[in-house]
Amino acid sequence: MKMPGFVFLVLLISVTQTFSQRTEKTINSAWEFTTAEDSEKTHKVNIPHTWNAEDPFRDGKEYFREKGIYRKTIFAPEEWQEQQVFLKFEGSNQVTTLFVNNTLIGEHRGGYTGFVFDITSALLPGTENKIRIEVDNSHNPDIPPLDADFNFYGGIYRDLWLITTNEVHFEMANEAAGNFLIKTPEVSAENARIEIETRVVNQSGERKRLTVEAEIFDPQGNSVQTLRRNIGVNSEETAEVNFEEDLKNPQLWSPSSPDLYEVEIRIMANEQQLDVQNSKFGLRWFEADPETGFTLNGKPLKLIGANRHQDFEGLGNALPNELHYRDYKMIKEMGANFIRTAHYPQDPEVYRICDELGLVVWSEIPVINDVTDSAAYHEVSLQMQREQILQFFNHPSVILWGYMNEIFIRLVFNNEVTEAEKEAKIKTSVELAEKLERETKKMDPDRLSVMALHENELYNTSGIANLPDVIGWNLYFGWYSPGLESFGKFLDEQHQKYPNRPLIISEYGPGADVRNQTIDPKPWDYSEAYQLKLHRSYLNQVQERDFIMGMAAWNFADFGSSFRQDAMPYINQKGLINFDRNTKDIYHYYQARLLEEPMVYIAGKNYQERYVQDGEKVEITVFSNAPEVVLKAAGGKITSEVTEGIAIFRLSLPEGETLLTATADSLSHSREITVFRRENLLSSIEKKQLLVNVGTHIQYKDPVTSQVWIADQEYREGSFGYIGGERYQKVLNKFLGTASDIQGTENDPLFQTMREGIEAYKFDAESGKYRVTLLFAEPEFNASEENIYNLSTSEKQEITGLRSFDIKINGKVVSEDLNLARDYGRIRAAEISYIVNSDGGITVEFEANSGKSIVSGIKLEKL
């Protein structure tokens, strides 16, 4: 039946009035993108997007830190004539400027919090509208962070939302990014006081009589109370609307029971709903005590977890929500109850996930390493803190608001700064900290304020450490500072000197490269074994001290840092897991220490090839939280007690493959390893090349070829090894020879270690035809490129950094005057292969002409 025209019109008006409410949708897809540097080259991108997913990880180039431009045309329906339209950014780094139809809408400074622009006035309903967004991640002295050990990725790297509302709506374009506040100032097991604060905006042309409702739902989804306020709001006016209510016998939020309530707020007029918003919240109370540590809901809780950076291999910081979820699920499955969002507020999805999983959060703004003494820098810092607090206020997981990290570290290590400049820097840093502390307490008096310090007395003498509620210490004893035992001593001294300060460990941990393996771990060898040694020690020392609130390992995952060199250039490798989220052994060790449900895990995921001397036993490490573990191998089984999450087995295993199975209670875990006897490597040279990682105790595996370069050894008759020289170490207590980025190779650890002053490398091999390949890298930046044959003896002696040596194989000179700096370049990998016909035995001699000979690796192949 055909509908009468007037009926259709009435229905259309009714539908428009009923449904001209809030709509929220992402507009992430198919943006035209170009950079200011190359404005002619335009391509389609989807948001989340960064233009730095790859370039921070390339040799010899600084990553792009300038302006990127996003363009899109959107159609504005006619009904938008009677609505308000907003663009909501969850995160865009770091200066974002919005134009609609070439009209400047506004600018936002800061790259890690959300913001909203009202674009209503610039839109043309009923036609297409041009959106242009300019994003600039250039260094800006007035915007934190100025400098940090992570990449400052540019782009709109979080979701972008288009939101339409009624002309009468809850406030959107504010520092809260449209969030309303749910405060819980008084919580106990018997009662919880709830305060709800929101703002209603009337952008219609007339005064409105409105009813604002707040409905509260319990964790099971049951409506427990509906609160109402009747208000009158003039045209172009904003009205504050507040509610208060008590909940009896509340269900409390905690890591073990993350119960969440929900509030839905609504604006009603003439029984029609004009706008609606929802937010979950939780009820809990907590305390930081300088003697007894942290308590949640009246019970002691040692906070143990990790810091987390938001980037991912191949994506930069432009992560889909699913990857955020996977990270935090892994953190929870590790047994952690605590996370620090170092060093900036993270995606809104992160806080929702932490609420639901039950992870206590320390959230902070990126005021890190340095401060600019300008009113603009101070104001942007304060704005960041306000935005962080207002946008994530309702999340019960957030317990600590952080506002500074190692703020004096650049000052301490800058030898060129004058005393007057130093004092001025301290003064402005302390002044900013005082402002941030006041602002934090003004915005949220109930949560804890915190800052993270590095190991330096300046934080105490300047008075800056007296400002926040809690002090976090970033401590790297056994890595940047010597001695694992110094960690506990430092904490005891700080506690004794400042007994009223609650303390937490905000960072700790060594670098670990899964390509590096050993059973003899040493500082700065980048082995997984040393990572385990340090973390085990730190866990024990924190557990022994009740006054320490907790600890956050640095870092949950390896992350991008363009200035880093170390074992893997451009990557900070202190993660408990890799950049691609494959686990390191240490992740499973934390499970053994933290999980309540049973677990067992054979360590050595990346150490499946074992090279042992005759009579030497193979050491197997098993992680478990059971009292004891049974290990089956080679037809037998052994039982070992578990101490601090670890059971150690030393087994006499035959050459070849062995299946290991560890059992604890009803759980089991298996791993296959392959054992090689060193004394048999020369006799089996036809089947398997012999590769030696010279100058180190580390076994290195090339991830591309899967070849294993075995740890070095001193020559013994009938075998192979070095003669003379010493391990090269640029710093005596750091067992990585040089931390420099070795150019021309991806196998940096293989070239970063070397034997210096070596006289020879000898193989007692049988007669035959061989290929001998030598690996080199000149480790000194000031190494001379002089040709010694152009110099007299006295001139040679005067030249510093001149390294020249000859190479002989079985007495024959095969390379003369090898000067690595001249011939290949400083800090650059070089490989030289030689064909040798041997009547029995191969001796590679290194004869120094000037300076000391040096070699990083030797490969012997039977041809």
Side-chain angles (χ1 to χ4, degrees):
M1 183 180 73
K2 189 174 180 180
M3 186 179 292
F6 76 93
V7 174
F8 176 78
L9 179 61
V10 170
L11 287 175
L12 178 62
I13 293 172
S14 176
V15 168
T16 302
Q17 289 177 342
T18 302
F19 291 99
S20 63
Q21 302 172 12
R22 178 181 297 250
T23 63
E24 302 180 12
K25 67 176 183 179
T26 57
I27 53 168
N28 289 342
S29 299
W31 286 79
E32 296 287 340
F33 175 76
T34 186
T35 64
E37 182 181 63
D38 190 2
S39 59
E40 299 300 316
K41 188 177 180 180
T42 301
H43 53 282
K44 289 281 180 71
V45 302
N46 294 332
I47 295 169
H49 171 260
T50 178
W51 54 76
N52 299 126
E54 297 177 359
D55 62 337
F57 307 97
R58 294 178 186 152
D59 281 347
K61 180 183 177 182
E62 291 188 5
Y63 66 97
F64 183 73
R65 291 193 63 192
E66 291 185 34
K67 184 185 291 185
I69 302 169
Y70 300 82
R71 291 182 173 89
K72 190 177 186 67
T73 299
I74 64 172
F75 180 80
E78 287 285 357
E79 56 262 32
W80 284 8
Q81 189 77 42
E82 305 299 324
Q83 294 180 301
Q84 298 298 122
V85 186
F86 304 90
L87 277 184
K88 180 177 180 179
F89 295 74
E90 291 184 352
S92 178
N93 198 32
Q94 68 178 350
V95 177
T96 304
T97 309
L98 174 65
F99 299 85
V100 176
N101 296 322
N102 294 320
T103 298
L104 173 63
I105 301 299
E107 177 188 273
H108 180 267
R109 295 189 157 210
Y112 302 95
T113 47
F115 50 97
V116 178
F117 289 122
D118 186 340
I119 64 174
T120 309
S121 61
L123 284 174
L124 302 174
T127 188
E128 291 185 334
N129 293 259
K130 294 180 179 180
I131 309 294
R132 184 172 92 251
I133 305 170
E134 299 180 358
V135 183
D136 193 340
N137 71 329
S138 303
H139 174 76
N140 189 317
D142 290 331
I143 303 175
L146 302 175
D147 169 84
D149 182 15
F150 58 90
N151 293 333
F152 301 163
Y153 302 96
I156 307 174
Y157 68 96
R158 295 178 186 160
D159 289 327
L160 179 60
W161 295 84
L162 179 68
I163 301 173
T164 61
T165 70
N166 192 286
E167 291 178 320
V168 178
H169 56 274
F170 292 112
E171 188 176 56
M172 283 292 300
N174 55 20
E175 289 184 322
N179 186 38
F180 68 96
L181 302 186
I182 306 171
K183 299 183 177 181
T184 56
E186 299 175 17
V187 179
S188 69
E190 296 76 30
N191 186 71
R193 163 68 68 176
I194 300 172
E195 299 174 358
I196 302 167
E197 298 180 2
T198 187
R199 292 164 64 89
V200 175
V201 180
N202 178 9
Q203 290 182 291
S204 71
E206 58 186 25
R207 177 177 171 80
K208 296 287 186 179
R209 295 295 303 172
L210 306 169
T211 299
V212 182
E213 299 178 345
E215 187 171 5
I216 303 171
F217 300 87
D218 68 17
Q220 289 72 44
N222 302 311
S223 177
V224 295
Q225 187 65 267
T226 300
L227 312 174
R228 293 181 176 85
R229 293 283 185 273
N230 295 319
I231 61 171
V233 187
N234 293 326
S235 176
E236 304 303 322
E237 183 180 78
T238 299
E240 293 186 4
V241 183
N242 300 328
F243 302 92
E244 291 186 6
E245 183 65 11
D246 285 338
L247 291 180
K248 302 299 181 184
N249 302 314
Q251 300 176 56
L252 301 178
W253 183 95
S254 71
S256 60
S257 183
D259 290 324
L260 294 170
Y261 287 78
E262 185 171 4
V263 167
E264 180 175 283
I265 56 173
R266 300 180 286 263
I267 302 174
M268 307 293 294
N270 300 321
E271 298 185 353
Q272 286 191 339
Q273 182 174 289
L274 303 184
D275 198 10
V276 61
Q277 282 187 290
N278 298 72
S279 179
K280 292 188 176 182
F281 70 102
L283 300 169
R284 76 284 182 269
W285 78 94
F286 50 85
E287 182 181 5
D289 186 274
E291 288 296 335
T292 59
F294 183 74
T295 58
L296 181 67
N297 301 331
K299 299 176 182 178
L301 180 66
K302 188 75 82 172
L303 299 174
I304 300 179
N307 293 263
R308 188 255 187 179
H309 271 297
Q310 65 185 0
D311 60 344
F312 192 98
E313 185 178 44
L315 297 176
N317 61 350
L319 274 62
N321 287 337
E322 176 61 24
L323 290 185
H324 290 300
Y325 175 75
R326 289 184 194 177
D327 270 6
Y328 283 89
K329 188 170 183 286
M330 283 188 73
I331 292 168
K332 185 70 175 182
E333 289 173 347
M334 187 180 80
N337 58 21
F338 176 49
I339 190 72
R340 178 181 175 219
T341 65
H343 291 295
Y344 38 74
Q346 296 193 2
D347 194 291
E349 187 75 1
V350 164
Y351 298 86
R352 184 190 68 78
I353 293 166
C354 289
D355 288 347
E356 294 181 355
L357 292 178
L359 288 166
V360 173
V361 175
W362 164 346
S363 186
E364 67 187 35
I365 58 172
V367 180
I368 175 173
N369 292 9
D370 197 6
V371 168
T372 301
D373 187 9
S374 71
Y377 182 94
H378 283 222
E379 181 47 46
V380 172
S381 301
L382 291 165
Q383 167 207 311
M384 286 181 171
Q385 186 71 331
R386 290 193 300 269
E387 289 175 339
Q388 169 181 240
I389 292 173
L390 290 170
Q391 290 171 28
F392 306 120
F393 193 97
N394 297 348
H395 294 279
S397 55
V398 179
I399 301 294
L400 298 119
W401 295 123
Y403 54 75
M404 276 185 177
N405 179 81
E406 297 184 352
I407 205 62
F408 292 139
I409 196 165
R410 289 293 175 261
L411 182 64
V412 168
F413 289 101
N414 186 349
N415 296 323
E416 298 179 1
V417 67
T418 67
E419 194 60 33
E421 290 170 335
K422 179 179 178 180
E423 291 303 317
K425 184 70 72 173
I426 294 171
K427 182 174 183 290
T428 192
S429 299
V430 173
E431 287 176 351
L432 177 57
E434 291 171 340
K435 293 176 186 176
L436 286 165
E437 177 67 20
R438 286 195 299 269
E439 196 77 1
T440 301
K441 289 306 179 184
K442 174 185 174 183
M443 304 297 295
D444 188 356
D446 299 318
R447 284 186 174 93
L448 300 169
S449 61
V450 62
M451 69 168 64
L453 321 177
H454 81 284
E455 182 206 343
N456 193 278
E457 189 61 20
L458 181 56
Y459 295 98
N460 292 321
T461 57
S462 67
I464 202 169
N466 296 325
L467 297 174
D469 297 323
V470 177
I471 283 297
W473 282 108
N474 299 347
L475 299 177
Y476 291 91
F477 292 102
W479 194 248
Y480 297 122
S481 301
L484 294 177
E485 70 286 348
S486 300
F487 172 68
K489 292 178 182 177
F490 178 87
L491 296 174
D492 292 339
E493 290 171 0
Q494 290 297 313
H495 181 52
Q496 185 177 11
K497 289 171 67 175
Y498 306 99
N500 296 321
R501 282 185 193 166
L503 300 180
I504 193 168
I505 310 305
S506 38
E507 293 181 22
Y508 66 95
D513 189 322
V514 297
R515 301 172 295 178
N516 284 357
Q517 301 295 332
T518 184
I519 59 169
D520 181 27
K522 302 177 187 298
W524 278 77
D525 64 12
Y526 275 87
S527 69
E528 286 197 87
Y530 187 74
Q531 187 179 38
L532 172 60
K533 182 177 180 178
L534 186 146
H535 279 268
R536 181 182 187 180
S537 174
Y538 272 49
L539 269 168
N540 292 339
Q541 292 182 72
V542 167
Q543 295 284 23
E544 292 165 0
R545 291 166 170 82
D546 290 340
F547 64 87
I548 299 296
M549 290 172 56
M551 59 198 306
W554 188 263
N555 193 276
F556 167 63
D558 293 350
F559 59 92
S561 181
S562 67
F563 78 88
R564 279 264 163 192
Q565 297 188 34
D566 300 341
M568 185 176 290
Y570 320 120
I571 303 291
N572 187 313
Q573 290 182 272
K574 295 185 179 71
L576 307 179
I577 65 174
N578 292 303
F579 201 16
D580 64 2
R581 273 43 178 185
N582 280 316
T583 60
K584 302 179 186 181
D585 278 348
I586 193 64
Y587 174 87
H588 301 284
Y589 177 65
Y590 272 91
Q591 290 183 315
R593 293 296 296 267
L594 301 178
L595 289 177
E596 294 183 1
E597 58 270 26
M599 71 82 61
V600 63
Y601 180 87
I602 302 173
K605 175 182 177 181
N606 304 293
Y607 195 17
Q608 294 180 343
E609 293 185 59
R610 304 296 184 96
Y611 292 80
V612 295
Q613 299 283 6
D614 185 26
E616 183 182 0
K617 293 185 176 182
V618 179
E619 184 174 296
I620 304 297
T621 300
V622 179
F623 302 147
S624 181
N625 52 10
E628 62 181 25
V629 170
V630 176
L631 185 67
K632 296 179 181 179
K637 63 180 181 179
I638 305 174
T639 301
S640 175
E641 290 185 356
V642 176
T643 303
E644 297 165 0
I646 295 177
I648 300 292
F649 298 86
R650 293 178 176 86
L651 309 176
S652 296
L653 296 178
E655 275 203 296
E657 296 178 351
T658 295
L659 179 65
L660 307 171
T661 301
T663 303
D665 298 324
S666 60
L667 295 177
S668 65
H669 182 253
S670 296
R671 186 178 305 290
E672 190 170 77
I673 66 169
T674 305
V675 177
F676 299 92
R677 295 287 172 187
R678 283 176 172 256
E679 64 273 15
N680 296 334
L681 294 178
L682 285 176
S683 61
S684 60
I685 191 73
E686 290 185 0
K687 298 179 181 178
K688 183 178 174 62
Q689 303 167 358
L690 175 54
L691 305 93
V692 185
N693 192 6
V694 178
T696 181
H697 59 293
I698 290 296
Q699 172 177 306
Y700 175 81
K701 185 172 184 177
D702 184 330
V704 176
T705 66
S706 296
Q707 292 177 309
V708 173
W709 295 76
I710 68 174
D712 203 3
Q713 66 181 42
E714 189 172 8
Y715 172 73
R716 293 186 298 179
E717 188 174 351
S719 185
F720 63 92
Y722 64 82
I723 298 172
E726 58 188 14
R727 184 201 318 255
Y728 174 84
Q729 287 178 225
K730 209 159 194 174
V731 180
L732 289 180
N733 64 335
K734 296 180 178 180
F735 284 82
L736 183 67
T738 174
S740 297
D741 174 12
I742 307 298
Q743 300 295 298
T745 183
E746 296 298 318
N747 294 313
D748 289 77
L750 188 55
F751 292 89
Q752 289 171 327
T753 56
M754 55 204 77
R755 194 158 194 88
E756 190 176 43
I758 187 172
E759 298 170 19
Y761 214 96
K762 191 170 182 180
F763 301 88
D764 288 345
E766 60 186 35
S767 61
K769 185 177 181 180
Y770 292 87
R771 177 163 44 224
V772 177
T773 301
L774 303 181
L775 276 57
F776 302 99
E778 172 53 64
E780 299 293 343
F781 284 98
N782 62 349
S784 170
E785 297 179 358
E786 289 286 352
N787 187 330
I788 65 165
Y789 294 110
N790 296 333
L791 305 172
S792 66
T793 302
S794 60
E795 287 175 323
K796 294 176 194 175
Q797 294 173 348
E798 291 176 1
I799 295 176
T800 58
L802 177 57
R803 188 194 308 277
S804 168
F805 54 95
D806 299 339
I807 299 174
K808 295 179 181 178
I809 299 181
N810 290 349
K812 178 184 177 181
V813 176
V814 294
S815 286
E816 193 173 13
D817 179 29
L818 181 60
N819 181 325
L820 298 171
R822 179 196 65 211
D823 299 339
Y824 302 99
R826 305 174 185 90
I827 324 295
R828 186 169 188 85
E831 295 187 25
I832 309 174
S833 294
Y834 308 91
I835 303 300
V836 179
N837 290 294
S838 171
D839 294 330
I842 296 174
T843 300
V844 183
E845 296 176 87
F846 304 86
E847 293 187 357
N849 301 311
S850 182
K852 294 181 179 181
S853 59
I854 202 163
V855 65
S856 287
I858 296 182
K859 176 166 64 174
L860 183 66
E861 303 169 81
K862 185 77 176 290
L863 301 179

